[in-house]
Amino acid sequence: MFWGKTIVYIDNSNIYRGGKDAGWLPEYEKLMQYLETLGGQLWDVHFFAIEESSSSRTSTSDFFDYLQKGLGFKLHLYTYGHKSIRCVHCNRFSQIT
């Protein structure tokens, strides 16, 4: 089956958590190869993820480099939002993610 040009949107959080719960981790290179065998040209691959706020280089940033430079993914990285809440019992404020 030929689909023409295909755009792939990957939500890392859902794939990672779902895979982890099922006992496997995603292999994005194999996923792209599989999608290409379906007959369509992969036009764009967009990868959405949360980026940990850290000044040091981590394995996560190496992973993002691999996706971007190695596989050609377009990264859309976001940071966690924070919200202040007040306890209705003690009036104390806390920050939550």
Side-chain angles (χ1 to χ4, degrees):
M1 169 186 273
F2 180 74
W3 292 352
K5 297 176 183 172
T6 302
I7 299 175
V8 179
Y9 296 93
I10 299 173
D11 177 357
N12 184 56
S13 179
N14 283 326
I15 289 181
Y16 178 79
R17 287 182 184 165
K20 189 174 177 183
D21 291 347
W24 57 268
L25 292 176
E27 295 184 42
Y28 294 108
E29 188 170 359
K30 286 184 179 180
L31 174 62
M32 296 304 103
Q33 290 170 353
Y34 171 74
L35 292 174
E36 288 172 346
T37 64
L38 295 177
Q41 174 188 359
L42 296 182
W43 187 257
D44 268 334
V45 179
H46 296 269
F47 187 86
F48 297 85
I50 297 294
E51 183 176 36
E52 300 293 330
S53 56
S54 172
S55 59
S56 63
R57 188 159 182 79
T58 64
S59 61
T60 303
S61 60
D62 291 341
F63 172 66
F64 291 147
D65 284 348
Y66 165 71
L67 292 178
Q68 188 172 30
K69 295 174 184 169
L71 298 179
F73 287 13
K74 293 182 179 163
L75 299 181
H76 304 273
L77 304 177
Y78 300 91
T79 57
Y80 282 113
H82 298 283
K83 181 179 181 180
S84 293
I85 61 168
R86 182 180 57 84
C87 176
V88 295
H89 301 291
C90 68
N91 246 6
R92 187 174 140 221
F93 280 91
S94 296
Q95 289 278 336
I96 61 170
T97 304

